[in-house]
C-alpha cells in the first residue's frame, strides 16, 4: 500500500542537497525524518552484499584489529550471518592458523584448553592458562588420541598434586567429527549420557574443540540466530586482512591455501600506487578471490580503486573511537558524508560499500546503511565481548578488555605500521590510542538485539530492505536534517539525576 498522496508535503532536505553544502557530517550530526509504515518490523530483510560476489544474512563485519577479530570472533560473526576479518598484525603462519581454526568449525564458539601428556605433572594453576581444564592426549599434542581431561576446580581440591596427570584425570572415551553441528553434538551427549566431548578434525585427527553440555545450554539461551554465512561446502565464511608490501604476497598465498573467502587491503589511506598494484596483482593471480579495497572517503579515491578492480570498498578515515588520524594528520572526513559520497559513485559500478568506523549504537548502523553502505564494520562495538581476543581484567569493580587502534604505537611495534605506509627504520607517528572497553558479554546475544533495533529503524523510515532504503534515499523520498548540538542533546537521555541505560 502506498502512502496517501494528499498527505505528502515537502519537508527537510534530500541527501544530495544536505551533503553538498560544504560540511563534513558525522552520524550524530544528521537525522532522518520518519516516513510511512505499511509493514511489520519482522518483514524487514537485512540480507546484503559484502562484495560483488559474497552475500550475508546481516550487514555486520568485525574489524581486522588485533583486539577484535581472531578465530573466535570470526566463527561467531559467521554463525550470526555476518563475517569476521582476521587481523594481520602477526606472521603469515599465525594468520593461517587463525584461518584454519575458523574454517575447521561448525559451531559458534571456540573453546579454550591446554594440552598435556599422561606422564606430565601439573605444577600450578598457571598451567591451565585462561582455561578451565587441561586436555590429556597420548603425546601431549592436539594431533594425538584423546585420553582424558583435568578440570581446574578438581585439581585445586586435590590433596596430592605431585602425581602424574594420568593418576587423577577423568577419562574421555568418545569424540565426534568437527563437522558436527551443535544440535548433532547435543544429541550425541544425550545419547552417551556424558557432559563433555572433543571434536576432532577428520583430515588430520587434531582436536578442534571441547564441547560441554553447559556450553550448548548457554548458546541455546541466546536469541535465535539467522542463516549463517557458509561456503558451498559448509565452512564458515571468513575474511582476512593483508597489507600492500611485497611480503604480503607470501601472506596472501598462505590465506588462499587456507580457503580465505575475501581479503581486505588494510590501509588507512587506500588511494595509493601500492594498493592499486596489489589489487591488480591479486585479480591477475587469484581471479576468483574477492578483494576489498580502502580505506577511502572521497569519490576520487573510490573511483581509482574501482577501476583497478576491487569487489568492495571500505569507507572511513579517522572516524574510529581509538583513531587519531584526523587530529594528527589533518585529513579524513565525517563518516556520514564519507559513506554517502563514496556510495553514490560505487553504486554506479555495483561495488558494495563497507562503512568502517564510528558505530556506537544501532542508530549509527541504520544511518550508515540508509546512506548507502551495504555493511558496517565494527571495532569498539564488538571489542570487550567474550569473543574478542584478550583476557578480562577487573578495574574499580568493572570487567574490562584492552582495545587499541592499529595506529597506536603499541600495535605498530607488532607490525601494523605498514597500514600507515610506515617504514620500520623510520620514526613511528601514532594515529591511534590504547584503551579499554567494558565487558559486553557475547556477540551471540547482543548482535541479534542490535539487528532487531535496526529493523525497527528501517520500519520507521518505510524501508523494508537495504535496497529499498537506498532507492528511497536516491529518489529523495527520504528526507534528512542536520542536528544542532542542542538537538543532539535532546535526542539522548537528559534531565535525569541518575539512570541506568540498557539496550535490551
Amino acid at each position: 500500500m502506498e502512502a496517501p498522496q494528499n498527505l505528502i508535503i515537502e519537508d527537510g532536505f534530500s541527501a544530495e542537497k544536505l551533503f553538498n553544502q560544504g560540511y563534513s557530517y558525522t552520524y550524530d550530526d544528521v537525522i532522518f525524518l520518519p516516513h510511512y509504515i505499511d509493514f511489520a518490523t519482522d518483514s524487514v530483510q537485512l540480507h546484503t552484499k559484502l562484495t560483488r560476489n559474497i552475500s550475508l544474512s546481516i550487514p555486520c563485519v568485525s574489524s581486522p584489529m588485533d583486539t577484535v577479530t581472531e578465530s573466535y570472533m570470526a566463527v561467531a560473526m559467521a554463525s550470526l550471518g555476518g563475517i569476521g576479518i582476521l587481523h594481520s598484525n602477526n606472521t603469515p603462519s599465525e594468520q593461517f592458523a587463525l584461518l584454519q581454526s575458523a574454517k575447521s568449525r561448525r559451531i559458534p564458539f571456540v573453546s579454550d584448553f591446554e594440552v598435556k601428556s599422561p606422564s606430565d605433572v601439573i605444577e600450578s594453576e598457571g598451567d591451565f592458562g585462561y582455561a578451565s581444564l587441561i586436555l590429556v592426549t597420548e603425546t601431549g599434542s592436539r594431533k594425538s588420541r584423546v585420553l582424558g581431561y583435568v578440570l581446574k576446580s578438581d585439581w585445586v581440591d586435590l590433596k596430592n598434586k605431585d602425581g602424574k596427570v594420568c593418576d587423577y584425570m577423568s577419562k574421555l572415551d568418545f569424540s565426534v567429527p568437527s563437522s558436527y553441528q551443535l544440535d548433532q553434538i547435543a544429541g550425541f551427549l544425550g545419547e552417551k549420557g556424558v557432559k563433555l566431548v572433543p571434536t576432532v578434525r577428520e583430515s588430520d585427527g587434531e582436536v578442534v574443540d571441547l564441547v560441554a553440555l553447559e556450553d550448548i545450554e548457554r548458546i541455546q539461551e541466546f536469541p535465535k540466530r539467522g542463516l549463517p554465512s557458509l561456503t558451498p561446502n559448509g565452512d564458515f565464511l571468513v575474511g582476512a586482512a593483508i597489507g600492500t608490501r611485497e611480503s604480503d604476497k607470501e601472506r596472501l598465498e598462505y590465506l588462499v591455501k587456507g580457503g580465505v573467502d575475501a581479503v581486505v587491503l588494510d590501509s588507512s589511506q587506500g588511494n595509493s600506487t601500492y594498493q592499486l598494484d596489489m589489487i591488480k596483482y591479486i585479480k591477475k593471480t587469484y581471479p576468483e578471490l574477492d578483494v576489498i579495497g580502502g580505506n577511502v572517503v572521497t569519490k576520487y579515491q573510490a573511483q581509482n580503486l574501482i577501476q583497478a578492480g576491487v569487489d568492495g570498498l571500505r569507507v572511513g578515515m579517522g572516524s574510529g573511537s581509538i583513531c587519531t588520524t584526523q587530529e594528527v594528520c589533518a585529513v579524513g572526513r565525517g563518516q556520514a558524508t564519507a559513506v554517502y559520497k563514496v556510495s553514490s559513485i560505487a553504486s554506479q559500478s555495483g561495488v558494495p560499500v563497507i562503512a568502517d568506523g564510528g558505530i556506537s549504537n544501532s542508530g549509527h548502523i541504520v544511518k550508515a546503511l540508509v546512506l548507502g553502505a551495504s555493511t558496517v564494520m565494527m571495532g569498539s562495538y564488538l571489542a570487550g565481548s567474550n569473543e574478542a581476543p584478550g583476557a578480562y581484567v577487573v578495574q574499580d569493580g568493572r570487567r574490562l578488555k584492552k582495545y587499541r587502534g592499529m595506529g597506536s604505537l603499541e600495535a605498530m611495534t607488532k607490525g601494523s605500521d605498514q597500514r600507515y605506509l610506515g617504514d620500520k627504520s623510520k620514526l613511528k607517528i601514532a594515529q591511534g590510542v590504547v584503551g579499554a572497553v567494558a565487558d559486553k558479554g557475547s556477540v551471540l546475544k547482543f548482535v541479534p538485539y542490535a539487528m532487531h533495533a535496526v529493523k525497527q529503524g528501517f520500519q520507521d523510515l518505510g524501508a523494508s530492505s537495504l535496497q529499498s532504503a537506498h532507492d528511497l534515499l536516491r529518489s529523495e523520498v527520504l528526507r534528512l536534517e542536520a542536528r544542532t548540538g542542542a538537538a543532539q542533546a535532546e535526542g539522548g537521555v537528559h534531565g535525569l539525576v541518575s539512570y541506568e541505560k540498557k539496550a535490551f
Side-chain angles (χ1 to χ4, degrees), residues 263-338:
V263 291
V264 171
L265 298 183
D266 197 19
S267 301
S268 64
Q269 211 281 53
N271 186 31
S272 69
T273 184
Y274 315 107
Q275 184 159 145
L276 295 175
D277 288 345
M278 182 61 83
I279 292 167
K280 294 171 184 175
Y281 169 80
I282 296 172
K283 299 310 291 186
K284 180 181 179 180
T285 311
Y286 308 103
E288 301 302 314
L289 181 62
D290 277 24
V291 182
I292 297 168
N295 281 29
V296 297
V297 293
T298 71
K299 292 181 178 181
Y300 169 68
Q301 288 179 299
Q303 188 61 32
N304 279 348
L305 300 191
I306 291 169
Q307 289 175 349
V310 292
D311 302 292
L313 282 170
R314 190 175 168 201
V315 176
M317 190 173 186
S319 55
S321 63
I322 39 65
C323 185
T324 58
T325 298
Q326 294 185 19
E327 175 186 330
V328 173
C329 300
V331 290
R333 201 172 203 174
Q335 188 66 343
T337 300

Side-chain angles (χ1 to χ4, degrees), residues 20 24 43 82 91 93 107 115 127-128 159 178 183 196 214 301 320 322 400 405 408 441 455:
N20 282 313
S24 191
S43 299
T91 65
S93 59
I107 54 178
V115 183
D127 288 350
F128 289 84
K159 292 182 180 179
S178 61
D183 57 348
L196 182 75
E214 62 184 32
Q301 288 179 299
I322 39 65
L400 308 172
S408 65
K455 287 184 176 183

Side-chain angles (χ1 to χ4, degrees), residues 18-19 21 23-27 29-30 333-338 482:
L18 185 70
F19 288 109
Q21 296 179 12
Y23 295 101
S24 191
Y25 291 118
T26 68
Y27 293 137
D29 288 327
V30 299
R333 201 172 203 174
Q335 188 66 343
T337 300

Side-chain angles (χ1 to χ4, degrees), residues 143-264:
K143 290 187 178 181
S144 61
R145 188 166 67 92
V146 177
L147 301 176
Y149 65 94
V150 179
L151 289 173
K152 185 176 182 179
S153 56
D154 290 344
W155 182 84
V156 169
D157 294 335
L158 277 179
K159 292 182 180 179
N160 179 17
K161 294 182 171 63
D162 296 329
K164 296 178 180 179
V165 168
C166 61
D167 295 335
Y168 51 80
M169 71 180 186
S170 299
K171 290 187 178 180
L172 269 177
D173 299 320
F174 307 103
S175 66
V176 297
S178 61
S179 59
Y180 267 33
Q181 304 290 342
L182 205 63
D183 57 348
Q184 291 177 290
I185 298 174
F188 180 90
L189 292 174
E191 177 187 337
K192 299 296 183 181
V194 294
K195 294 185 177 180
L196 182 75
V197 66
T199 65
V200 177
R201 188 186 296 132
E202 294 161 282
S203 61
D204 58 8
E206 181 174 352
V207 180
V208 175
D209 276 308
L210 282 171
V211 184
L213 189 59
E214 62 184 32
D215 293 322
I216 295 173
E217 292 171 345
R218 173 177 56 86
I219 290 172
Q220 288 174 338
E221 291 176 354
F222 292 150
K224 184 178 179 181
R225 300 186 302 279
L227 294 174
S229 303
L230 302 175
T231 66
N233 65 3
D235 293 343
F236 283 132
L237 285 176
V238 183
I242 65 171
T244 56
R245 290 179 174 171
E246 191 66 26
S247 58
D248 284 290
K249 293 178 180 178
E250 177 192 1
R251 181 183 294 272
L252 178 64
E253 187 177 350
Y254 269 93
L255 294 172
V256 172
K257 287 180 180 178
V260 73
D261 298 292
V263 291
V264 171

Side-chain angles (χ1 to χ4, degrees), residues 24-39:
S24 191
Y25 291 118
T26 68
Y27 293 137
D28 284 337
D29 288 327
V30 299
I31 194 75
F32 290 109
L33 303 185
H35 193 45
Y36 182 72
I37 298 174
D38 59 357
F39 53 85

Side-chain angles (χ1 to χ4, degrees), residues 354-407:
I354 303 170
D356 174 24
I359 301 295
S360 300
N361 53 54
S362 58
H364 291 162
I365 299 175
V366 173
K367 290 176 182 179
L369 297 175
V370 175
L371 287 173
S374 293
T375 55
V376 292
M377 181 172 279
M378 297 174 287
S380 64
Y381 195 82
L382 303 176
S385 65
N386 297 348
E387 292 79 8
Y392 286 107
V393 296
V394 178
Q395 182 176 313
D396 299 328
R398 302 180 70 196
R399 271 166 54 94
L400 308 172
K401 263 190 183 180
K402 179 187 285 187
Y403 177 52
R404 69 186 183 190
M406 298 304 283

